[in-house]
Amino acid sequence: MGMIRDLLGREVFGPITAALGVPDAQLRATLVGSQFVGLAVMRYVGRIEPLASASIDALVAAIGPTVQRYLTGD
């Protein structure tokens, strides 16, 4: 598990954190990650409806504002 954490920190969250350039950037980046991991588990692993069959456009409309808020604040 440590290897996965290190890989995600270095390759995924590190660049997002650097790009945000705000004091709580690491928290913001990991919140985005948690949103997408949760979505992937519910949609592709659990195949929970109606999430599993929702269109990409519907998912973007529903989750996009939350991800945007995580990245840029209120």
Side-chain angles (χ1 to χ4, degrees):
M1 198 55 137
M3 290 176 64
I4 294 171
R5 183 178 51 243
D6 292 344
L7 175 70
L8 288 172
R10 184 178 60 251
E11 300 296 326
V12 178
F13 302 125
I16 294 170
T17 299
L20 291 176
V22 294
D24 61 348
Q26 190 172 17
L27 175 60
R28 290 172 183 264
T30 56
L31 285 169
V32 170
S34 73
Q35 189 75 44
F36 289 131
V37 168
L39 173 63
V41 168
M42 296 289 288
R43 184 173 167 97
Y44 299 112
V45 177
R47 298 182 186 195
I48 306 298
E49 290 295 346
L51 188 61
S53 61
S55 71
I56 298 297
D57 289 341
L59 293 176
V60 169
I63 295 173
T66 298
V67 171
Q68 185 69 43
R69 185 176 56 79
Y70 287 157
L71 293 172
T72 61
D74 295 328

